[in-house]
Amino acid sequence: LCEPAPRETVLRAVPAAAGPFLLYPAAWRPYKNHTRLIEAVSLLRKRGHPDIQLVFTGFAPLPQELADLADQLGLTLVVHAAGQVERPILAGLYRAAAATVVPSLYEQGSFPILEAIRCGCPAVASDIPAFREAFVAFDGAIPMFDPYSPESIASVVAEVLVDRAAVQYRQALALPTRSW
């Protein structure tokens, strides 16, 4: 996966990747919890990260529910739905993102978390049983948050943004060495 397209190609496909942004690569489904992530971005922008953008992949345009929420929070120009992207573009987004955030309410697993870490992007995730079990070997290297709380999401993401390199390093060390 981590053979990214050239930066210029990534920026043509997803112009929001030019500035600091959070990435959530996931199809739009209610349990994927996009709404609380948008609410968390609103909090982050008010608390010291005024330039942070949010990029979703996997769907475009924004579903009406998400567009309405972004508009209500004054984030119409901040929340971006990039649609389906080719693997090299996704790898480029992982490389450029400030962090990958996976706020799902439930899952059986999450390739985006592993892909992000493999591409050198710090990942944060919901504190849900499937993720706790899947990433137990990471020994706490993946910061987790309460997915029902935009405040919790924003707080954990803010902590990662303050010391992104340290989180990146801990996650790289914890990454299993086997190929996948």
Side-chain angles (χ1 to χ4, degrees), residues 21-26 30 32-45 52-57 59 66 69-70 73 75 78-80 99-105 124-126 145-155 157:
F21 70 97
L22 302 176
L23 177 64
Y24 185 23
K32 294 288 189 177
N33 206 20
H34 292 83
T35 55
R36 288 195 184 94
L37 182 53
I38 292 172
E39 292 168 345
V41 166
S42 178
L43 295 172
L44 282 165
R45 289 177 64 88
I52 201 81
Q53 303 274 313
L54 178 57
V55 174
F56 297 129
T57 63
F59 60 89
L66 300 182
L69 178 60
L73 295 173
L75 302 176
V78 172
V79 179
H80 311 274
T100 295
V101 184
V102 181
S104 299
L105 298 174
V124 299
S126 297
F145 50 77
D146 175 355
Y148 292 96
S149 167
E151 174 68 41
S152 178
I153 298 168
S155 294
V157 170

Side-chain angles (χ1 to χ4, degrees), residues 37-166:
L37 182 53
I38 292 172
E39 292 168 345
V41 166
S42 178
L43 295 172
L44 282 165
R45 289 177 64 88
K46 292 173 186 173
R47 297 180 186 163
H49 301 281
D51 298 329
I52 201 81
Q53 303 274 313
L54 178 57
V55 174
F56 297 129
T57 63
F59 60 89
L62 278 177
Q64 195 61 50
E65 173 184 338
L66 300 182
D68 290 347
L69 178 60
D71 185 52
Q72 173 189 345
L73 295 173
L75 302 176
T76 302
L77 300 176
V78 172
V79 179
H80 311 274
Q84 297 285 339
V85 298
E86 295 177 9
R87 299 302 282 176
I89 300 292
L90 181 57
L93 290 171
Y94 281 129
R95 290 266 172 100
T100 295
V101 184
V102 181
S104 299
L105 298 174
Y106 64 89
E107 291 284 353
Q108 291 183 6
S110 180
F111 283 116
I113 294 169
L114 290 172
E115 289 175 341
I117 295 168
R118 186 119 173 137
C119 290
C121 180
V124 299
S126 297
D127 186 1
I128 58 175
F131 290 169
R132 283 193 305 270
E133 182 180 328
F135 301 110
V136 69
F138 279 72
D139 196 28
I142 299 172
M144 294 189 172
F145 50 77
D146 175 355
Y148 292 96
S149 167
E151 174 68 41
S152 178
I153 298 168
S155 294
V156 169
V157 170
E159 289 173 16
V160 169
L161 296 177
V162 166
D163 201 356
R164 183 180 184 276

